[in-house]
Amino acid sequence: MPRKTALEATRNIGIMAHIDAGKTTTTERILFYTGKIHRMGEVHEGASTMDYMEQERERGITITSAATTTYWRGCRINIIDTPGHVDFTVEVERSLRVLDGAVAVFCAKGGVESQSETVWHQAEKYHVPRIAYVNKMDIVGADFGNVMEMMRTRLGAKPAAIQLPIGVESSFRGVIDLVEMCARVYYDEEGEDVRREEIPEDMLDEAEAARNELIEAVADEDDELTMLYLDGEEIPNDMLKRAIRSAAINNHAVPVCCGSSYRNKGVQPLLDAIVDYLPSPLDVPPVEATSRDGKKTIEVHPSDDEAFSALAFKIVSDSYVGKLAFCRVYSGTVKVGQVVLNCNKAKRERITKILLMHADSRTEVEEAYAGDIVAFVGLRDTVTGETLASEGRPLLMESMEFPEPVIKIAIEPKTKAGQEKLTAALAKLSEEDPTFRTYADSETGQTIIAGMGELHLDIIVDRLIREFKVECRVGKPQVAYRETIRKTVRTVGSYIRQSAGAKGIYGHCVVEFSPGEPGSGFKFENLTAPDVLPEEYAAAVKQGIIEASASGALGGYEVIDFSAKLVGGSVNETDSCEMAYKVAGSLAFREACAKGDPALLEPFMNCEIVVPDEFLGDIMGNLNSRRGQILETEIRPGSQQCIHALVPLKEMFGYATDLRSRTQGRGTFSMHFDHYEEVAGNLVDKILGIIY
């Protein structure tokens, strides 16, 4: 069956932003104006299409990324609406990994906020072309120029306005198109009566100057355009559009639109910009993959004629069809019933259904093509980040890296019968979410769940109760501490066992352990010659150190930021074995932990707190009492102050409630993990006392 939409007319985009910037409302308007839905739902009423989970509708926030497909001007637009809350950053990360372009939504008042920076840098990491949409132009304090300036200073971006707002705050009524040099004015509340008019007289000079700035920003993309501009001649609109598109796709500039999604103004021009300036799969470089042995580089081209390849970027447990694997098809085609290869595990998987998703509803299709984003049913062993390919051309695409959890709580079922249900539910949830971990505490026997923040774990517990019908008790949140060493030590690991008449066991190594730079992780270096210690024994020593580092000498926490140099050892020709050297490595590490001046580390969070001017002093004093380090304060529109601070995670439990009570409900904050830092000496005993 031939594809319905040509590849060059396909757009795979994500909507990304800080919490409350209006991503989901913007997506809702896009679906309405493209005819996908016939009634606009509001986030604050719990009626939006893309926020389909009960927890999302109750809280008015997006928790999980949702996919949908719609059409505009003959283009097929595959959209992923992503969360804005920092606890769910992984949803943005894995979505951007498979998208060709993105729309970054900024609040016209708040501008570039903390999570805006996070998602922007995630897009930079994957070289995703972006356009910006300055939303909420109708609210008090809206400032289009200020948002552009913040994009330059805080993001290091090169914004190029392709629109200007007509009016601001309550007088906002439309936009000036700087390419067509006309005004688009809205005359009804639904945003469907849009009239093309002459630019208002009082804005003509501003529009001319802004158009010249736009041309200068993209002039390097087209020599002919540059010559026309320097000669003072009129530049054709089509030529200017091509230059803007080239600048956006090559990440040389970021086209900037504006509007008010809630007031239904500016969404259609945004859709035009998505079609005109964001890339199709053919406009981005081919994906670089490797052969399964990692020795050969394979280029994956977006073509239906190539062998099939796809990347699984999200797993969802569905109560009706079971496990859904959301995949981006990069090349070739795949049909229902076809057997594909999971290249990471070298296992064959049969695709029993192919689904086109629209939030939580789905449409079955018989075939998927290059450039499609679909959900496969029937993949038993596939997890997030794994590559699927035809058996004739196995390959591995670059996988995704996910941050480690920073907060944990103990959980237990209320009844014995609930233990099995709890175990099964936690297994499904951890398969869905790579930043969620669950394990049994070896000392207490308790089931521990770990995540990215209080809200993250709150949602997990809520889902356990509602979706999986598991009644459970939850302990207080605990911090995921770490340990490290502070001085260099050389230790000997020796594991030698002799028994009469039987083969003995022999493992002997000498390792030098040194503290590393914060964030450096674990580094291993083998300085022994192969005739002193064969490579397989050195690898066993390394593995023994890695496994032993899961539990340190102070509180049993994972040991990080250290290096190990294997400097010596010996071999017994008859008794040496890999297992013995693994044990020897772990013994050497444990001795180093005891002698290496161990230190306890705690996670510090990068916090952004926005409060009205009158509460600034009280909030800063409160942060100091929480062992916070104030980095800077900045003035925001509307008599607001933004405080940037580093605060230990332990001190931030319950902060949302405290902040609301101190600011009469007007303060907001967000935080994300920044780094691990040594715990002050006077607090170590107190913390370890709590542990034991």
Side-chain angles (χ1 to χ4, degrees):
M1 189 170 70
R3 63 159 64 240
K4 293 180 180 178
T5 307
L7 201 54
E8 58 267 23
T10 298
R11 304 286 182 272
N12 290 316
I13 67 162
I15 312 288
M16 62 182 200
H18 186 85
I19 192 168
D20 283 341
K23 299 176 303 303
T24 302
T25 301
T26 301
T27 307
E28 196 77 8
R29 283 2 181 219
I30 287 173
L31 296 178
F32 177 76
Y33 293 122
T34 56
K36 185 75 176 182
I37 59 175
H38 303 291
R39 179 182 175 277
M40 291 179 279
E42 304 300 347
V43 173
H44 62 273
E45 294 173 358
S48 65
T49 305
M50 302 303 280
D51 285 348
Y52 59 86
M53 291 172 63
E54 288 180 49
Q55 293 86 350
E56 292 178 314
R57 294 185 167 180
E58 287 175 359
R59 291 168 170 80
I61 61 170
T62 303
I63 292 168
T64 183
S65 53
T68 189
T69 300
T70 191
Y71 294 85
W72 183 256
R73 282 174 39 197
C75 269
R76 171 177 170 163
I77 306 175
N78 298 318
I79 303 171
I80 297 181
D81 177 31
T82 64
H85 197 284
V86 68
D87 283 14
F88 309 105
T89 301
V90 64
E91 292 288 338
V92 187
E93 178 91 14
R94 59 184 175 185
S95 299
L96 286 171
R97 171 66 180 80
V98 298
L99 293 172
D100 300 320
V103 178
V105 182
F106 298 100
C107 171
K109 178 181 176 181
V112 178
E113 297 168 276
S114 60
Q115 188 64 2
S116 312
E117 292 186 64
T118 302
V119 297
W120 189 271
H121 294 315
Q122 285 173 317
E124 289 277 339
K125 175 180 172 182
Y126 294 116
H127 309 293
V128 177
R130 280 141 283 168
I131 61 176
Y133 174 60
V134 181
N135 189 26
K136 301 189 178 183
M137 284 303 306
D138 61 309
I139 66 172
V140 175
D143 189 334
F144 182 73
N146 181 57
V147 179
M148 294 269 288
E149 184 57 30
M150 290 179 80
M151 288 179 67
R152 290 187 193 96
T153 56
R154 294 190 65 170
L155 301 176
K158 295 179 180 176
I162 57 175
Q163 295 171 6
L164 288 179
I166 302 174
V168 72
E169 299 179 354
S170 59
S171 65
F172 177 68
R173 64 184 192 279
V175 298
I176 292 172
D177 186 330
L178 297 175
V179 177
E180 304 280 348
M181 284 304 281
C182 66
R184 300 182 191 275
V185 183
Y186 291 77
Y187 283 91
D188 67 339
E189 291 297 315
E190 287 71 41
E192 295 186 282
D193 183 6
V194 192
R195 301 178 194 175
R196 180 173 170 143
E197 300 178 356
E198 295 293 319
I199 297 172
E201 283 286 330
D202 61 336
M203 293 191 70
L204 203 51
D205 290 344
E206 184 185 351
E208 289 285 356
R211 180 180 165 91
N212 286 337
E213 286 180 19
L214 172 62
I215 293 168
E216 287 175 11
V218 301
D220 290 345
E221 305 295 323
D222 189 316
D223 292 340
E224 187 182 349
L225 183 149
T226 305
M227 294 305 297
L228 289 174
Y229 178 61
L230 293 174
D231 293 340
E233 295 187 30
E234 187 65 31
I235 293 171
N237 293 342
D238 287 348
M239 183 184 292
L240 180 55
K241 278 187 177 181
R242 283 197 303 273
I244 297 169
R245 178 178 177 80
S246 174
I249 291 172
N250 294 315
N251 283 312
H252 295 159
V254 180
V256 183
C257 309
C258 60
S260 170
S261 298
Y262 181 60
R263 298 294 177 194
N264 308 315
K265 295 178 173 66
V267 179
Q268 298 96 324
L270 172 63
L271 276 162
D272 289 335
I274 290 169
V275 169
D276 290 336
Y277 306 127
L278 286 180
S280 75
L282 294 171
D283 296 316
V284 294
V287 174
E288 284 200 356
T290 61
S291 55
R292 290 197 66 240
D293 58 10
K295 294 179 180 177
K296 183 181 174 186
T297 300
I298 302 170
E299 281 197 347
V300 179
H301 297 272
S303 166
D304 294 344
D305 299 326
E306 279 210 2
F308 167 74
S309 65
L311 184 73
F313 66 94
K314 179 174 177 173
I315 302 296
V316 173
S317 296
D318 187 280
S319 55
Y320 296 103
V321 296
K323 180 176 168 180
L324 288 176
F326 283 71
C327 295
R328 160 73 189 264
V329 181
Y330 281 98
S331 65
T333 61
V334 64
K335 295 182 179 179
V336 173
Q338 188 170 327
V339 174
V340 297
L341 181 70
N342 179 322
C343 299
N344 297 75
K345 294 173 179 167
K347 289 189 175 182
R348 302 171 83 232
E349 300 261 44
R350 183 180 296 277
I351 297 171
T352 57
K353 287 182 182 179
I354 301 175
L355 306 175
L356 200 59
M357 301 301 294
H358 173 54
D360 60 338
S361 60
R362 56 190 73 83
T363 304
E364 287 194 37
V365 293
E366 290 300 311
E367 193 169 2
Y369 304 89
D372 285 355
I373 293 177
V374 291
F376 293 144
V377 179
L379 307 184
R380 294 176 179 273
D381 299 306
T382 301
V383 298
T384 301
E386 293 187 336
T387 305
L388 302 172
S390 61
E391 294 181 272
R393 189 179 71 158
L395 52 86
L396 287 173
M397 295 184 195
E398 183 186 355
S399 192
M400 291 171 259
E401 294 178 6
F402 301 111
E404 290 294 313
V406 295
I407 184 173
K408 60 184 180 181
I409 57 176
I411 189 168
E412 61 182 30
K414 288 185 177 178
T415 63
K416 274 193 174 182
Q419 183 62 53
E420 200 171 307
K421 286 173 70 177
L422 177 64
T423 304
L426 290 176
K428 286 183 178 179
L429 289 171
S430 57
E431 188 178 42
E432 284 186 20
D433 185 351
T435 60
F436 170 66
R437 307 283 166 80
T438 176
Y439 60 93
D441 189 295
S442 57
E443 291 183 4
T444 64
Q446 288 179 304
T447 299
I448 305 295
I449 60 174
M452 301 307 297
E454 285 184 277
L455 179 61
H456 188 194
L457 294 184
D458 186 32
I459 297 295
I460 293 287
V461 173
D462 199 7
R463 290 188 64 191
L464 283 171
I465 295 168
R466 293 195 196 190
E467 288 179 36
F468 298 97
K469 305 294 187 289
V470 179
E471 290 296 323
C472 49
R473 284 187 289 265
V474 178
K476 288 183 178 179
Q478 292 181 332
V479 177
Y481 291 101
R482 294 287 185 265
E483 297 180 28
T484 192
I485 57 173
R486 289 181 285 197
K487 71 178 185 181
T488 300
V489 290
R490 180 176 290 205
T491 59
V492 177
S494 179
Y495 186 65
I496 301 170
R497 298 287 184 273
Q498 299 293 337
S499 55
K503 186 181 178 186
I505 297 173
Y506 187 95
H508 170 247
C509 63
V510 182
V511 188
E512 185 178 281
F513 293 90
S514 303
E517 291 294 317
S520 61
F522 167 64
K523 293 178 181 175
F524 181 82
E525 194 176 352
N526 179 14
L527 300 181
T528 62
D531 59 336
V532 175
L533 210 61
E535 187 63 39
E536 63 268 24
Y537 293 159
V541 171
K542 178 183 177 181
Q543 189 59 36
I545 294 170
I546 290 172
E547 291 182 10
S549 69
S551 177
L554 290 175
Y557 290 110
E558 182 183 346
V559 182
I560 61 171
D561 299 340
F562 71 97
S563 64
K565 293 179 183 176
L566 181 58
V567 295
S570 60
V571 174
N572 182 301
E573 290 186 8
T574 57
D575 296 344
S576 287
C577 63
E578 288 184 36
M579 185 275 289
Y581 284 92
K582 187 174 173 182
V583 175
S586 67
L587 292 173
F589 173 80
R590 295 202 183 286
E591 186 181 343
C593 272
K595 294 181 177 178
D597 192 15
L600 191 65
L601 305 176
E602 64 179 334
F604 268 67
M605 311 303 285
N606 191 321
C607 303
E608 185 178 276
I609 304 105
V610 180
V611 296
D613 285 343
E614 62 262 36
F615 303 109
L616 180 65
D618 180 34
I619 296 305
M620 289 181 70
N622 181 250
L623 287 172
N624 284 325
S625 72
R626 293 172 182 267
R627 299 190 285 132
Q629 306 165 22
I630 308 294
L631 302 177
E632 63 173 342
T633 61
E634 62 174 292
I635 299 171
R636 290 278 178 90
S639 300
Q640 300 264 321
Q641 295 277 354
C642 179
I643 306 165
H644 297 272
L646 291 173
V647 191
L649 173 61
K650 182 179 184 297
E651 306 292 342
M652 294 302 288
F653 291 150
Y655 185 67
T657 305
D658 189 30
L659 180 66
R660 279 196 293 270
S661 66
R662 288 175 180 273
T663 60
Q664 299 171 6
R666 295 156 64 194
T668 60
F669 89 103
S670 62
M671 66 179 185
H672 61 270
F673 171 74
D674 191 83
H675 68 283
Y676 274 94
E677 193 169 302
E678 194 174 322
V679 176
N682 62 321
L683 294 173
V684 173
D685 290 341
K686 184 179 176 183
I687 291 168
L688 296 178
I690 292 171
I691 295 166
Y692 297 116

